[in-house]
Amino acid sequence: MGRKVGAEYLKNDTCQFTVWSPLAEKVEVVLKDRNEPVSLIKDTQGYWEAEVPEVPPGSLYKIRLDEEDEFPDPASRSQPEGVHSWSQVINHYSHDWQDQGHESRNLEDMVIYELHVGTFTSEGTFEGIIEKLPHLEELGVNTLEIMPIAQFPGDRNWGYDGVYPYAAQDSYGGATGLKKLIEVCHQMGFSILLDVVYNHMGPEGNYLSQFGPYFTDKYHTPWGSAINLDDKYSDHVRNFFIQNAIMWLEEFHFDGLRLDAVHEIIDRGARHFLKELSEEVDALEKKTGKHYVLIAESDLNDNRLVTDYSKGGYGLEGQWIDDFHHAVHTLLTGEDAGYYQDYGKAEYLAKTFEQGFIYDGIYSKFRKRRVGNSPKGIAKNKFVACIQNHDQVGNRVLGERLGQLITFEEQKLAAGTLLTSPFVPLLFMGEEFGETNPFRYFISHGDPELVKAVQEGRKREFEYFDQKAEEFPDPQSKKTFEESRPNWNFKEDQSKNTLFEMYKLLLKMKKEGAFHLFGAEDTQTKFDEENKVLQVTASDKETTLMGIYNFGKMPFRATFSEEKKGEILIASADKIWLGEEEFPKERIQKTEVPAKSFMIIKI
């Protein structure tokens, strides 16, 4: 299972320190409450280690390199005083886990809810999330996905600037608060996933390069030099991140990981890092008897991610499909700047319903090249789809959610398109009640030059979207962060509460299998490009299921069959959902689907 790194508390106030620094001549542990440093012993692979007595949990320490500079531990489990200060020894074995009855959940059975710990509640902590679990239980989601929590500078950040991947953010409640959250989630029947970042490290407090060749100039990512996964010494860099994944799953009891932007995990070796990670997690499954889920975010539309090892794939359980989001978003908003120019057709929504990827080797106007490969043969429930997520909302100039961009009728249409689709649904916090507060990009860096660079860099990012930045929210401002919290008084607003009730019903129907036929390989689609209407039809021996999604401005007349009549399972334009129509309860042969609405019919 590889080599553990960092400070591992054993027992009787004894701690095992392991640091990888292959080029150092001397490595010592400096304990804050001791006068003399403790020398570590080097092995042939560049690991320095020693078992040190009289180191109780809570002890603060740093790592001294070559009798000169002192740094926090790269594999620190706790940074109570921030990214530049002392690391802390914690006892992972002190928590008496009470989640033994929790059963692993397959990806295909998940309804995922993405949230940001710092803004999800007014407390902005792991334990603060616990009070909202009854809301999520009522909604019908069964899986939480929390945005990255690796220790970052300050107390406000999306999490993608983390620099201590083994340390749970101290301002969120650290390891103790995180374990309480996971335990309560499991006791209530929720699965919980963690978003992890193995493609780059944040800039402030990042001392990895002081310890060894963690990065390589062979490749560059949008964040600078790439993580070293296939250059000299890369075996041990790979081990550093794989052991991190194993720690979150084994020691913290996470049910799986969401792997950020894997297209920037650059590895040209024969055994790709993602495959090695997947195989190591398989070995952990055998060890623990538990099932874990690995979900990749990728903009490559590469079927290898979720293809079996035997067919040359990496064996991950699932991947995000941005194509679905972009197809729905552009039909609803009409936006066509940036990468949205590649979408906006009812034909494309039909294609993603059929197979997940739209770009399966076809030419992209935005990228000016062909993109993707064929997903043929891949089960649709290996794809995770959404109509909102942190990126698609927060990477807008003003961080507008769909609730700010489209009408109430269109919000219901968007929800229906997602939740009746054959994919694993992911909701973004507040989406279920049409939240209109923005979700913006925010930081709390301590370096003024870095803050300035981030501010200017964010403005440049929006240029290809033709979005003007006169009202550009300052990422460093606390106000930008505070404005990104959902408003939990949604039940006082009739339309927001109605949308919430629709989400509840759709999720209940989905879990009961009402829309499972749409997952069949032979699902048929028809589209009317001029009127922006999509029809989806699937059948088994006994039943035909039809979905009609009208993104256009005119009603759409639908006829089912001359021999059989159909039952309307749900229609978003019905008065029960604050629409203007009253649809018949009896079985019918034809109906009209109003503009900006969807209808599901069982024939």
Side-chain angles (χ1 to χ4, degrees):
M1 294 290 287
R3 186 78 167 267
K4 286 190 175 183
V5 290
E8 183 181 11
Y9 181 78
L10 301 175
K11 58 182 178 179
N12 300 326
D13 289 350
T14 300
C15 187
Q16 171 86 24
F17 291 94
T18 305
V19 179
W20 182 68
S21 189
L23 305 180
E25 296 296 326
K26 188 172 185 179
V27 176
E28 300 164 289
V29 173
V30 178
L31 290 150
K32 188 176 183 181
D33 61 356
R34 289 194 197 179
N35 294 326
E36 295 296 323
V38 178
S39 294
L40 303 183
I41 299 171
K42 187 179 185 180
D43 71 7
T44 56
Q45 298 182 78
Y47 289 93
W48 298 78
E49 60 186 0
E51 195 172 296
V52 184
E54 299 179 29
V55 182
S59 297
L60 299 175
Y61 70 100
K62 287 187 178 180
I63 306 298
R64 180 184 292 172
L65 300 178
D66 293 331
E67 299 184 287
E68 293 182 0
D69 296 323
E70 297 175 4
F71 303 100
D73 184 351
S76 168
R77 266 46 169 196
S78 176
Q79 289 293 125
E81 299 176 12
V83 297
H84 302 290
S85 192
W86 299 92
S87 299
Q88 185 178 48
V89 174
I90 62 174
N91 180 6
H92 265 306
Y93 308 103
S94 63
H95 188 85
D96 182 19
W97 285 97
Q98 300 297 316
D99 65 347
Q100 291 81 4
H102 174 67
E103 294 186 7
S104 302
R105 185 175 272 117
N106 292 325
L107 176 62
E108 64 195 59
D109 298 319
M110 289 182 173
V111 176
I112 304 172
Y113 189 93
E114 184 190 24
L115 63 88
H116 177 268
V117 177
T119 56
F120 187 57
T121 65
S122 57
E123 295 87 352
T125 63
F126 298 126
E127 291 188 67
I129 295 169
I130 294 172
E131 70 182 48
K132 297 299 182 188
L133 294 180
H135 163 80
L136 299 180
E137 188 174 47
E138 180 187 357
L139 171 61
V141 302
N142 58 27
T143 303
L144 277 65
E145 180 183 303
I146 58 178
M147 289 171 64
I149 59 172
Q151 186 79 31
F152 52 74
D155 58 5
R156 302 186 304 277
N157 199 289
W158 274 17
Y160 299 94
D161 289 319
V163 286
Y164 295 94
Y166 285 77
Q169 175 68 15
D170 187 70
S171 62
Y172 289 170
T176 300
L178 179 58
K179 288 179 179 180
K180 287 181 182 177
L181 168 63
I182 295 170
E183 183 171 72
V184 175
C185 282
H186 286 171
Q187 289 171 342
M188 293 182 64
F190 290 99
S191 298
I192 181 166
L193 311 175
L194 176 64
D195 192 344
V196 291
V197 183
Y198 296 152
N199 51 45
H200 78 287
M201 302 286 281
E204 183 178 344
N206 178 0
Y207 299 110
L208 276 179
S209 293
Q210 308 296 327
F211 287 84
Y214 280 87
F215 300 91
T216 175
D217 287 327
K218 279 175 64 177
Y219 320 113
H220 287 82
T221 73
W223 309 283
S225 296
I227 301 283
N228 175 21
L229 298 173
D230 66 2
D231 207 349
K232 295 176 182 177
Y233 299 99
S234 60
D235 289 351
H236 309 291
V237 179
R238 296 163 76 100
N239 178 74
F240 179 84
F241 289 102
I242 287 173
Q243 290 306 309
N244 177 254
I246 297 299
M247 180 199 75
W248 291 124
L249 299 174
E250 185 173 23
E251 296 182 12
F252 282 87
H253 293 201
F254 275 104
D255 296 285
L257 304 172
R258 181 262 191 189
L259 307 169
D260 179 63
V262 300
H263 49 275
E264 298 295 352
I265 296 177
I266 305 172
D267 177 10
R268 293 181 179 167
R271 187 190 187 200
H272 194 281
F273 172 81
L274 292 174
K275 183 178 181 182
E276 182 178 355
L277 172 62
S278 185
E279 289 175 333
E280 290 295 328
V281 171
D282 288 349
L284 180 65
E285 288 183 332
K286 291 180 180 177
K287 175 183 173 182
T288 63
K290 297 178 181 178
H291 173 63
Y292 305 105
V293 169
L294 297 177
I295 305 169
E297 179 209 12
S298 172
D299 73 352
L300 298 179
N301 283 14
D302 186 354
N303 60 32
R304 284 181 299 176
L305 293 173
V306 293
T307 299
D308 292 342
Y309 305 137
S310 61
K311 297 178 181 177
Y314 301 157
L316 305 178
E317 279 67 33
Q319 66 172 299
W320 281 24
I321 44 167
D322 285 347
D323 280 357
F324 181 88
H325 168 273
H326 300 344
V328 175
H329 185 92
T330 50
L331 283 172
L332 288 169
T333 66
E335 293 180 5
D336 60 3
Y339 49 73
Y340 287 147
Q341 67 189 267
D342 283 340
Y343 300 89
K345 296 181 180 180
E347 173 190 1
Y348 284 168
L349 183 59
K351 187 174 181 180
T352 191
F353 244 95
E354 288 178 0
Q355 64 171 38
F357 295 164
I358 295 170
Y359 284 82
D360 56 357
I362 65 174
Y363 182 80
S364 156
K365 288 187 295 182
F366 174 67
R367 301 193 199 193
K368 295 180 172 54
R369 62 177 175 85
R370 293 180 180 178
V371 173
N373 53 29
S374 173
K376 187 174 182 181
I378 296 175
K380 295 175 187 176
N381 54 26
K382 283 185 173 289
F383 295 120
V384 176
C386 70
I387 52 174
Q388 298 187 66
N389 63 42
H390 72 275
D391 270 330
Q392 304 304 335
V393 176
N395 283 329
R396 301 176 66 85
V397 170
L398 301 178
E400 309 103 316
R401 295 165 174 267
L402 269 184
Q404 293 172 274
L405 299 174
I406 61 177
T407 67
F408 174 63
E409 293 301 319
E410 290 170 324
Q411 287 182 69
K412 292 186 290 179
L413 170 58
T417 308
L418 172 65
L419 298 180
T420 63
S421 80
F423 310 117
V424 175
L426 178 139
L427 281 55
F428 183 57
M429 60 177 189
E431 169 190 325
E432 69 274 22
F433 48 83
E435 179 57 74
T436 52
N437 286 349
F439 182 75
R440 294 173 173 157
Y441 179 76
F442 42 80
I443 56 172
S444 52
H445 291 321
D447 180 351
E449 290 301 313
L450 179 58
V451 171
K452 183 179 179 182
V454 172
Q455 291 166 334
E456 293 176 352
R458 290 290 291 180
K459 289 180 182 179
R460 284 194 300 271
E461 284 181 33
F462 298 123
E463 290 176 359
Y464 67 75
F465 275 110
D466 298 329
Q467 291 179 297
K468 307 305 179 186
E470 288 86 356
E471 303 176 54
F472 180 75
D474 180 5
Q476 183 75 4
S477 168
K478 191 172 184 180
K479 180 184 177 186
T480 301
F481 166 77
E482 291 175 340
E483 289 176 343
S484 297
R485 289 195 175 107
N487 179 356
W488 289 99
N489 296 322
F490 70 91
K491 292 199 174 184
E492 298 173 6
D493 182 308
Q494 187 182 19
S495 62
K496 288 186 175 183
N497 191 54
T498 299
L499 185 62
F500 177 65
E501 292 298 324
M502 174 175 273
Y503 266 87
K504 282 171 55 177
L505 178 61
L506 284 167
L507 287 173
K508 181 175 182 289
M509 293 172 71
K510 187 175 186 71
K511 285 190 279 191
E512 290 173 350
F515 316 123
H516 77 279
L517 281 179
F518 289 155
E521 262 194 66
D522 58 353
T523 297
Q524 303 294 311
T525 61
K526 289 198 302 184
F527 58 89
D528 179 338
E529 200 65 72
E530 182 179 353
N531 294 303
K532 303 298 183 191
V533 178
L534 168 66
Q535 294 182 74
V536 181
T537 307
S539 302
D540 60 16
K541 293 179 180 179
E542 301 172 356
T543 304
T544 295
L545 192 68
M546 179 181 288
I548 303 171
Y549 308 86
N550 186 354
F551 290 80
K553 298 177 180 179
M554 301 295 293
F556 177 79
R557 292 186 178 180
T559 302
F560 318 139
S561 166
E562 293 183 5
E563 298 85 18
K564 295 183 179 180
K565 293 184 177 181
E567 171 193 2
I568 297 175
L569 298 183
I570 185 168
S572 63
D574 199 299
K575 287 184 177 179
I576 191 175
W577 307 119
L578 301 185
E580 297 182 353
E581 306 294 328
E582 194 160 346
F583 294 98
K585 305 301 179 190
E586 67 273 10
R587 298 177 70 84
I588 54 177
Q589 284 185 314
K590 58 185 177 180
T591 189
E592 194 169 77
V593 182
K596 310 297 185 183
S597 77
F598 78 94
M599 184 182 293
I600 305 296
I601 304 119
K602 182 179 179 181
I603 303 168

